[in-house]
Amino acid sequence: MNNCESEEIVEAANIAISNLLPTKSRSLYDIAYNRFKKWCAEKNVQVYSENVLLAYFSENAKNYKSSTLWAQYSMVKSCLIIYDNIDISKFPKLIAFLKRTGDGYQAKKSKILTKSEIDRFLSSADDQEFLMIKVGLILGIAGACRTDELVNLTVDDIEDVGSSLIVKIPRIFVVTDVGNMLELFRKYLSLRPPHVKHKRLFLYYKAGKCSSQPVGKNTMGKIPSVVASYLKLPDVACYTGHCLRRSSATLLADAGVDITTIKRHAGWKSTTVAEGYVENSIENKTKIANQVLVGTTTGAITKTVNVSESNIPSNINFENCTKCNI
């Protein structure tokens, strides 16, 4: 303790430091840090130099894929800054090594549901069996929701204003009265038993009835695969819990929504993630193809037809036309 610092200041600083790690995943950070410390003790390491970190992650690279190495690096980095006042983000050779481990690696991504597939499930699946799945699908797609966001959603988080639902998770999104989406939500909510003591929205549903037991993360995460199975889509197992979030972002990108809006809608901090959806959008690729091959910025391919004044029908009026070459 610095002689100029009182015990009260030191205690307050320690409390502040203890809150620097994410509360939800703090245990994972501690595990990663303690594993690194144990490795250092076995190697008689006294100083955490760049060579030490290179050796540690080089050894781990034999057993873990690139994404896992980056996750471990992030957690060890945060703990070393907090507990040892060492910033390994300033180790250029270590960063270069970690980037090299990702060469040729492609992360597995959940498949997405198209708008037509979503509409087909909502209109054809039997409410008696799939009502809870339908409501989860609607809210998940509308809000680009993570599985845990749907699991923790409460009845107090949703305001029914008649023409739409206003949902707070805590970011806000709206479900409008498209098709029978609001009707499905209200039908499911009306089946909520009066004796339920908690406020979780999603309750186990079977044969047209809700129990008082809240739906867990595993069941909620299987919603996309249930939809895919019903629609008889290939590779059902590839429709993971992340499917709803990816599908929502992809639908926005296909609609031509800008990156900033996609980021705000899904709550992403990284522009890179949002850019990925825009870049991979089929609609966007179609527009680019037309620009390259046809020279037009629209989705339609124009055709030039030579006409003379004599063969123009009398009922066609060319006044106030724009973007027409005659």
Side-chain angles (χ1 to χ4, degrees):
M1 181 178 69
N2 192 314
N3 292 331
C4 297
E5 297 175 348
S6 66
E7 292 184 2
E8 183 180 355
I9 291 177
V10 173
E11 183 179 355
N14 289 335
I15 293 174
I17 289 173
S18 66
N19 293 326
L20 291 177
L21 293 176
T23 303
K24 185 177 179 181
S25 53
R26 184 190 181 99
S27 60
L28 296 177
Y29 279 74
D30 289 337
I31 290 172
Y33 177 67
N34 290 331
R35 186 184 296 125
F36 171 69
K37 295 279 284 187
K38 182 180 178 182
W39 180 88
C40 289
E42 292 173 351
K43 304 292 184 181
N44 295 317
V45 172
Q46 302 296 325
V47 179
Y48 304 140
S49 66
E50 183 169 20
N51 285 337
V52 168
L53 271 298
L54 273 169
Y56 176 73
F57 282 102
S58 177
E59 190 172 303
N60 277 270
K62 299 174 183 177
N63 302 313
Y64 299 108
K65 57 187 179 182
S66 177
S67 58
T68 304
L69 286 177
W70 277 108
Q72 292 295 312
Y73 162 79
S74 178
M75 291 186 283
V76 170
K77 178 187 69 174
S78 297
C79 290
L80 284 174
I81 290 175
I82 293 171
Y83 300 132
D84 302 282
N85 201 29
I86 297 174
D87 186 3
I88 65 174
S89 67
K90 296 179 180 179
F91 292 170
K93 288 183 286 187
L94 174 61
I95 303 299
F97 169 77
L98 291 172
K99 288 181 177 179
R100 190 66 182 271
T101 61
D103 288 351
Y105 171 75
Q106 288 187 339
K108 293 182 180 179
K109 294 182 179 181
S110 171
K111 284 197 167 186
I112 63 170
L113 293 167
T114 65
K115 187 178 185 304
S116 62
E117 290 166 348
I118 294 168
D119 292 342
R120 186 150 56 95
F121 177 79
L122 293 177
S123 61
S124 63
D126 187 3
D127 289 356
Q128 188 78 359
E129 182 179 357
F130 295 105
L131 183 58
M132 189 278 288
I133 301 295
K134 287 184 176 183
V135 175
L137 176 64
I138 291 168
L139 293 175
I141 293 292
C145 296
R146 301 177 179 88
T147 299
D148 61 325
E149 289 174 336
L150 291 175
V151 169
N152 296 320
L153 195 63
T154 71
V155 290
D156 292 339
D157 295 329
I158 303 178
E159 181 182 0
D160 190 340
V161 296
S163 60
S164 62
L165 303 175
I166 300 175
V167 188
K168 301 177 181 179
I169 58 172
R171 67 179 183 278
I172 299 175
F173 66 90
V174 175
V175 181
T176 55
D177 195 8
V178 177
N180 63 337
M181 290 185 179
L182 298 189
E183 179 185 336
L184 290 170
F185 170 80
R186 290 163 183 157
K187 180 179 180 180
Y188 179 69
L189 192 63
S190 69
L191 297 174
R192 188 179 183 86
H195 61 275
V196 177
K197 296 181 179 179
H198 60 83
K199 293 191 175 183
R200 292 259 291 274
L201 172 65
F202 287 101
L203 306 174
Y204 274 100
Y205 178 83
K206 187 175 182 180
K209 294 182 180 180
C210 287
S211 70
S212 59
Q213 185 178 356
V215 173
K217 188 171 184 177
N218 289 336
T219 299
M220 192 66 71
K222 291 178 182 177
I223 286 179
S225 62
V226 171
V227 175
S229 178
Y230 174 85
L231 297 175
K232 294 181 171 54
L233 301 177
D235 303 319
V236 170
C238 294
Y239 291 85
T240 67
H242 201 55
C243 167
L244 302 183
R245 191 162 166 80
R246 295 197 70 237
S247 298
S248 180
T250 302
L251 289 172
L252 281 177
D254 283 344
V257 174
D258 61 87
I259 292 174
T260 302
T261 302
I262 294 176
K263 282 177 61 181
R264 187 184 300 114
H265 175 68
W268 281 308
K269 294 180 180 179
S270 170
T271 300
T272 304
V273 176
E275 284 177 341
Y277 288 103
V278 175
E279 289 173 0
N280 293 322
S281 164
I282 297 300
E283 293 295 326
N284 197 48
K285 288 182 181 296
T286 301
K287 290 178 182 178
I288 293 173
N290 285 333
Q291 290 173 338
V292 173
L293 303 175
V294 187
T296 175
T297 57
T298 64
I301 297 178
T302 60
K303 184 177 181 181
T304 301
V305 179
N306 294 320
V307 296
S308 63
E309 187 176 341
S310 60
N311 61 14
I312 297 176
S314 59
N315 63 337
I316 294 181
N317 186 358
F318 287 99
E319 292 181 1
N320 297 324
C321 293
T322 60
K323 297 183 179 179
C324 294
N325 293 323
I326 301 175

